[in-house]
């Protein structure tokens, strides 16, 4: 069985972790801690934007940063 999940799918798999707004860096660390996959931060950000545009995630701005949540 192949485990070829996209970065976007891995972000959504975080489930309850995203019930409170998180920075891209926190999401990156959680994916690494849970799955051992260490993705480039820019790839995480691109996928967060992808999910935002498809209305799978929401975001709010805090200072110069965005926090993403479900």
């Amino acid at each position: 069985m192949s485990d070829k999940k996209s970065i976007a799918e891995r972000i959504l798999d975080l489930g309850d972790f995203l019930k409170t707004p998180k920075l891209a860096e926190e999401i990156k660390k959680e994916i690494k801690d849970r799955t051992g996959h260490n993705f480039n931060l820019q790839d995480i950000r691109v996928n967060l934007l992808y999910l935002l545009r498809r209305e799978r995630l929401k975001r709010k701005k805090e200072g110069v940063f965005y926090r993403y949540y479900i």
Side-chain angles (χ1 to χ4, degrees):
M1 188 164 82
S2 178
D3 187 27
K4 292 288 183 185
K5 287 187 177 181
S6 70
I7 296 174
E9 289 172 313
R10 291 184 190 279
I11 291 169
L12 291 176
D13 282 350
L14 296 176
D16 287 349
F17 176 77
L18 291 172
K19 287 195 176 186
T20 57
K22 306 289 184 193
L23 295 170
E25 290 83 354
E26 294 170 304
I27 293 168
K28 177 185 188 299
K29 182 182 183 314
E30 186 68 12
I31 290 171
K32 184 174 187 309
D33 290 348
R34 283 194 194 187
T35 68
H37 289 90
N38 192 13
F39 296 110
N40 182 306
L41 187 57
Q42 187 58 33
D43 293 339
I44 298 283
R45 288 185 174 129
V46 166
N47 280 274
L48 288 169
L49 192 56
Y50 170 89
L51 292 168
L52 178 73
R53 289 179 176 162
R54 280 150 189 82
E55 298 180 358
R56 302 293 304 277
L57 288 180
K58 300 171 195 149
R59 76 177 179 186
K60 66 180 183 177
K61 189 161 186 157
E62 289 185 5
V64 296
F65 302 105
Y66 286 103
R67 291 189 180 264
Y68 294 85
Y69 61 101
I70 55 176

